[in-house]
Amino acid sequence: MSNPRIILLALIIISLFILPAAAGIPASYDARLQNLTPPITDQGNYGLCWAFSAISSLESSMIYQDQNKYAGIDLSPYHLAYFTYNRDDVIDPDSPLPGLEGIAGDYTYSNETEPVNNISGLVLGGYDYQAVYTLAAGFGAVNESAAPFEPYGNNTRLSPDTAISGNEVMLKSATFIPVSDTDSIKTMLLESGAGILQLFFAVDEPYLHELDNSDWAFFLGTTDRENLSYSGMHAVLLIGWDDDFSKGYFNLTPEHDGAWLIQNSWGSNLSNCTYIWISYEETIDPVPFFTGDEPKYDHIYQYDGGTLRRGYPVNQTSVLIGNVFTAAGDEIIRAVSLDTNQSVNYTLEIYTNLMSESPDSGTLFASETGAVQYPGYYTIELTDYVPIEEGQSFSVVYSLDSDELLNISIDESDIIEEDIETMTFALPGQSFVSNGTAWEDLSADGETNLRIKAFTTDTTFAISIDPVTASIKKRGITISGTTTFAPGSELNMTLRCPDGSVLYETTEVMPDGWEVTVPNLKMFEEEYTVYVERKSVSAETVFTPAGFKDMLIAFQA
């Protein structure tokens, strides 16, 4: 059974992160009958229900996206739990693992006197949002085979090399829905995959008992929780519901019919409470849904490596927030993240070539608007990608407004109930907030950052050459292509001819690509090499002009 200190969080993107209104929601649903449930797991003797339920929710979202492709998906909860609490080897400020430089110095510790197997966090437990922030930082999710877990024996420490490599699924979003919003919870279950229920759980009768079909029923109701044995907070996977589930199935009788169906993480032996019906009237925390995607980015720009959820009240209903980064290479910004503690409307702006410390002092390159209905973590894919070059400054700025006073999501050093401690290492000039008149440097205190990320891919070239025929007469040829460098960027092209001569041309990137015309060139029926480069990014191709023989064959055909 898991530790009492676990809360569950998750988020999903559905049409600008606004869930559709309920329409035709059935009275019951059971993902088991649709073969849409992830593998049954067993957390064994460890307090890892928070990690097991999070990974199962992520697996479920992938199965919903492509049932055939992901029917056998099996991701590692151990990898998630391990790199939540055991990061010292990969985020040392003096020598961070490549790719984690932005969160170097951001540690999370569980205050255990004698960690099991010398691995921190296996028994103490964790919080739902720790799973969110660990996955969002790029730690997994990996296959179970890459980080296997022994539920009833000893586990081994993982190699630092496995921290952010070998990811099979990335976290796209995690959405927190209040349990009172049952229609939205059911809609998410129908359309996107399983969520997570967190509740105070007791394994004794009369609260928990087995039904005739080997499912179980649980209702604690208003029972005093103080003196219960074998009890505590528990995180489980939400896989269905039944509005007509009779209240008579519970030993302690609720006022009304209706129950949620969950899949437990105590193994596949049905006598171990694998599937449990939980009354609608049971006290349940907001229900998180994790949504995954295939890994599609090469780099993450981030400062928020801590795993505790914190807020920064601003005492107003609108605010500007922004993170400033420096490009580590020639790349393309394809997506950014937004983490919010409440429903917000947002305008997103990306600036390049900042003129001062202010996040909005550069050239506005992209702007988008949207809305988020529920608290959570969201990846926002850009309509217009933003090219950046090594050493170039850029910023991700949000203008947020809400019907309530805003409480901005931040990452800061803190301690939870003396059990879990997070340390955030910040540098001046990283994270800023503004009331609309002046920017304040939140990171100047050395331990506070905003939860804003930028996701990039490496810059690329493509080369295309118009059909060329051999000719002893000099003439021009056109070489063109595409690139993710910004329009106006200068490219260098080299053409190596079969007679040993080398021609050089320069051109500028246009909005629709690039093009070079090489004049006064004899074309032999031999191999030519085209090489295009800008800074450290390059592409190369070869072509051979079609000769008389090739044209004759084509004509006869």
Side-chain angles (χ1 to χ4, degrees):
M1 184 167 182
S2 292
N3 188 276
R5 293 170 289 275
I6 303 134
I7 309 173
L8 299 137
L9 150 180
L11 322 136
I12 184 165
I13 305 174
I14 297 183
S15 64
L16 294 179
F17 316 115
I18 301 296
L19 295 181
I25 296 177
S28 65
Y29 173 75
D30 186 341
R32 297 176 297 182
L33 304 180
Q34 311 298 324
N35 295 319
L36 291 172
T37 55
I40 297 171
T41 56
D42 190 349
Q43 68 186 72
N45 298 323
Y46 299 95
L48 297 179
C49 65
W50 63 279
F52 275 76
S53 58
I55 288 296
S56 290
S57 179
L58 195 65
E59 291 172 334
S60 175
S61 78
M62 302 305 291
I63 295 171
Y64 270 62
Q65 292 174 45
D66 192 330
Q67 188 172 356
N68 292 329
K69 183 175 181 179
Y70 291 105
I73 189 171
D74 188 14
L75 302 175
S76 172
Y78 178 52
H79 184 276
L80 167 60
Y82 183 91
F83 283 109
T84 296
Y85 290 111
N86 301 271
R87 299 185 186 176
D88 296 40
D89 293 338
V90 299
I91 58 169
D92 185 331
D94 294 327
S95 58
L97 190 72
L100 297 177
E101 295 88 351
I103 59 173
D106 293 352
Y107 299 95
T108 297
Y109 298 107
S110 64
N111 295 322
E112 300 167 299
T113 54
E114 296 182 4
V116 175
N117 305 144
N118 198 32
I119 300 171
S120 181
L122 294 187
V123 175
L124 179 66
Y127 292 83
D128 54 352
Y129 46 78
Q130 289 185 274
V132 173
Y133 296 144
T134 297
L135 290 168
F139 296 97
V142 304
N143 282 331
E144 173 69 18
S145 59
F149 176 70
E150 175 51 61
Y152 300 100
N154 295 328
N155 288 280
T156 59
R157 296 185 66 84
L158 298 178
S159 168
D161 294 338
T162 67
I164 57 174
S165 64
N167 291 352
E168 291 294 323
V169 175
M170 58 166 279
L171 179 68
K172 186 175 184 180
S173 64
T175 304
F176 280 84
I177 303 180
V179 71
S180 59
D181 194 347
T182 56
D183 283 347
S184 290
I185 293 173
K186 292 174 180 178
T187 298
M188 290 287 280
L189 263 171
L190 287 171
E191 298 183 354
S192 301
I196 306 168
L197 286 191
Q198 181 193 307
L199 70 163
F200 192 91
F201 196 68
V203 298
D204 295 332
E205 291 221 40
Y207 318 112
L208 177 70
H209 71 101
E210 190 172 6
L211 304 174
D212 292 340
N213 66 351
S214 296
D215 286 354
W216 293 68
F218 174 80
F219 181 58
L220 193 60
T222 59
T223 302
D224 184 3
R225 290 153 167 76
E226 289 297 322
N227 299 315
L228 292 174
S229 59
Y230 304 107
S231 62
M233 294 300 293
H234 188 40
V236 290
L237 191 69
L238 174 62
I239 62 171
W241 72 85
D242 186 349
D243 294 341
D244 300 319
F245 190 88
S246 173
K247 62 184 180 181
Y249 286 130
F250 300 101
N251 283 343
L252 297 182
T253 307
E255 184 176 351
H256 304 286
D257 292 341
W260 300 109
L261 174 62
I262 67 92
Q263 178 175 299
N264 206 353
S265 55
W266 292 351
S268 57
N269 187 332
L270 297 182
S271 64
N272 286 345
C273 313
T274 303
Y275 299 108
I276 307 174
W277 291 93
I278 298 174
S279 170
Y280 283 161
E281 296 175 25
E282 189 56 62
T283 301
I284 296 170
D285 285 347
V287 179
F289 290 82
F290 284 57
T291 302
D293 200 354
E294 293 185 351
K296 59 177 65 172
Y297 308 115
D298 298 318
H299 312 282
I300 305 177
Y301 288 84
Q302 58 183 341
Y303 300 128
D304 55 314
T307 63
L308 298 183
R309 194 175 196 188
R310 290 291 170 264
Y312 180 84
V314 295
N315 199 33
Q316 55 192 52
T317 58
S318 62
V319 71
L320 293 170
I321 59 174
N323 268 5
V324 174
F325 302 101
T326 300
D330 301 322
E331 302 162 18
I332 297 297
I333 305 173
R334 296 183 57 188
V336 296
S337 72
L338 174 63
D339 193 81
T340 176
N341 293 325
Q342 62 205 105
S343 172
V344 294
N345 299 311
Y346 67 82
T347 297
L348 160 67
E349 296 179 332
I350 298 180
Y351 294 85
T352 59
N353 299 320
L354 304 187
M355 302 299 292
S356 69
E357 187 180 69
S358 301
D360 59 356
S361 64
T363 301
L364 178 61
F365 207 103
S367 179
E368 300 190 14
T369 60
V372 170
Q373 185 176 3
Y374 295 110
Y377 168 85
Y378 301 88
T379 302
I380 302 171
E381 296 182 348
L382 301 179
T383 302
D384 298 315
Y385 297 163
V386 178
I388 52 176
E389 296 191 9
E390 183 177 0
Q392 185 178 25
S393 61
F394 69 94
S395 64
V396 180
V397 177
Y398 286 99
S399 173
L400 304 177
D401 67 81
S402 175
D403 295 333
E404 309 172 322
L405 294 178
L406 284 162
N407 187 23
I408 301 167
S409 178
I410 61 171
D411 177 24
E412 66 176 351
S413 300
D414 207 344
I415 299 176
I416 297 294
E417 299 177 0
E418 299 183 355
D419 290 329
I420 300 174
E421 179 179 4
T422 227
M423 296 178 62
T424 299
F425 176 69
L427 292 173
Q430 292 178 337
S431 296
F432 296 84
V433 61
S434 172
N435 59 9
T437 57
W439 287 99
E440 175 189 354
D441 187 349
L442 286 179
S443 48
D445 67 358
E447 57 180 13
T448 304
N449 280 121
L450 292 168
R451 292 196 178 277
I452 298 175
K453 304 179 190 288
F455 301 90
T456 70
T457 55
D458 292 325
T459 299
T460 59
F461 276 116
I463 302 173
S464 61
I465 301 171
D466 292 340
V468 179
T469 57
S471 172
I472 60 173
K473 294 181 62 177
K474 289 185 177 182
R475 57 191 179 86
I477 65 166
T478 299
I479 301 170
S480 61
T482 59
T483 182
T484 47
F485 276 113
S489 300
E490 185 177 275
L491 307 182
N492 299 311
M493 189 216 71
T494 303
L495 177 64
R496 297 187 181 93
C497 304
D499 62 2
S501 61
V502 180
L503 303 177
Y504 301 96
E505 297 286 344
T506 60
T507 187
E508 284 191 356
V509 178
M510 299 173 290
D512 57 349
W514 59 271
E515 182 178 287
V516 175
T517 298
V518 183
N520 301 321
L521 192 65
K522 289 184 179 181
M523 302 305 298
F524 302 101
E525 194 178 350
E526 297 180 49
E527 190 174 271
Y528 291 73
T529 299
V530 178
Y531 178 83
V532 183
E533 61 86 23
R534 174 174 172 79
K535 301 177 70 176
S536 60
V537 182
S538 63
E540 184 175 286
T541 191
V542 297
F543 69 94
T544 302
F548 178 77
K549 179 180 178 181
D550 295 325
M551 290 185 287
L552 180 60
I553 293 173
F555 177 77
Q556 290 175 338

